[in-house]
Amino acid sequence: MSSVESTIDAGFAARHAELARGYGGGGDPEDPALVQAMQMVLHIPKADPPRRNALLAAAATAVVALCLDQRVGPEGEWEERYLTWKRSRIRKVARRARGAQWLAAQEVDGVTVEFAGAQARALVPGPVGDIDPRIKRLQISGTELASEEPELITPGFPTLWVDSKLGMTVGKAAAQVGHASMLLAGAMPVQQAHAWAERGFRCNVADADRDLWAALQQRVAEGTAVAVRDAGFTEVAPGSMTVIAVPAR
């Protein structure tokens, strides 16, 4: 066993192994109220909203941090809820909050991440028919944030590239980058995922134009990047490639 491997505890290795198995496959239950979803809360103050891609990076980081949190692992307090969701048809729902709403969301089980002045919280998944009232009252749509120029790409961290031509809302994009961070962590060797965890799962999120997107699709075909293909429930056509995640260089 290498010195790097020896620093990885069995709990992290087990959580990563579960993530690496992929997700979905279980289909939806007959009762619509039992459909599983991860609720995501985006902090969008009215007076001083965050930069769009910083908020998306916070959302992506919060999702992967929850998926590798010790509380979702073997005998963890969130394990059953997490696995019920992960092994069914994956869904994420992004909602916006400000002020007292944001503070109330911190009381619901989950993981909050702050990045470059933006904050997002990924909540422990559960049935859509039993959403905490403090979360259920939060709006899902209606807020948009402008993309910043130029893109801020920090070397040494993974980059999640969003297909700009799709014109996804910030909520839709947040769900998609959340899928991407999960996929990327699961595709990494456990040593690389552990190293990413030690850096707080920090990542870049940026928009890809047509030419760059074509080059990124080639990387997916070569196996050096991972892609999110949307089920098409909202905003985009089924099978659309929405985000391509590229490991750190």
Side-chain angles (χ1 to χ4, degrees):
M1 180 180 292
S2 72
S3 60
V4 174
E5 289 174 311
S6 66
T7 65
I8 301 174
D9 66 82
F12 183 90
R15 298 190 298 275
H16 179 265
E18 176 61 43
L19 193 58
R21 291 187 187 100
Y23 50 76
D28 287 334
E30 292 185 7
D31 184 351
L34 297 179
V35 169
Q36 300 291 309
M38 174 187 282
Q39 306 295 321
M40 306 165 65
V41 183
L42 311 178
H43 187 207
I44 307 179
K46 188 173 183 179
D48 187 22
R51 294 184 293 110
R52 176 186 171 97
N53 286 345
L55 184 61
L56 295 180
T61 298
V63 169
V64 70
L66 187 148
C67 292
L68 288 170
D69 190 287
Q70 63 181 4
R71 289 166 288 185
V72 306
E75 301 183 3
E77 61 189 279
W78 299 344
E79 180 186 21
E80 183 177 357
R81 285 183 285 169
Y82 169 71
L83 291 181
T84 299
W85 166 74
K86 182 181 173 294
R87 294 174 179 176
S88 64
R89 181 174 290 173
I90 288 288
R91 285 183 173 85
K92 296 185 181 75
V93 178
R95 302 169 183 268
R96 72 176 191 268
R98 59 173 63 104
Q101 298 172 329
W102 174 248
L103 295 177
Q106 305 311 299
E107 300 171 0
V108 182
D109 289 345
V111 174
T112 293
V113 166
E114 180 172 354
F115 173 70
Q119 294 176 301
R121 185 169 180 81
L123 304 181
V124 179
V128 296
D130 189 29
I131 299 172
D132 188 291
R134 292 166 291 190
I135 305 304
K136 190 174 183 178
R137 67 170 61 100
L138 301 178
Q139 294 189 38
I140 298 175
S141 61
T143 296
E144 198 44 64
L145 299 171
S147 296
E148 63 269 22
E149 293 291 345
E151 301 287 7
L152 301 176
I153 304 296
T154 303
F157 296 95
T159 300
L160 313 182
W161 293 98
V162 180
D163 185 356
S164 60
K165 76 175 184 296
L166 293 177
M168 292 183 289
T169 63
V170 68
K172 179 69 173 181
Q176 298 302 298
V177 295
H179 293 331
S181 64
M182 286 179 66
L183 283 171
L184 183 60
M188 290 177 175
V190 65
Q191 299 92 338
Q192 188 177 354
H194 188 263
W196 192 22
E198 290 190 320
R199 304 184 78 186
F201 297 109
R202 180 175 170 182
C203 62
N204 302 297
V205 173
D207 297 320
D209 61 21
R210 185 183 301 275
D211 291 341
L212 177 56
W213 191 252
L216 291 168
Q217 287 179 307
Q218 182 60 37
R219 291 198 59 172
V220 173
E222 294 168 353
T224 60
V226 296
V228 177
R229 291 177 173 82
D230 192 62
F233 293 120
T234 60
E235 294 193 27
V236 301
S240 296
M241 194 179 293
T242 56
V243 179
I244 294 176
V246 178
R249 292 187 293 178

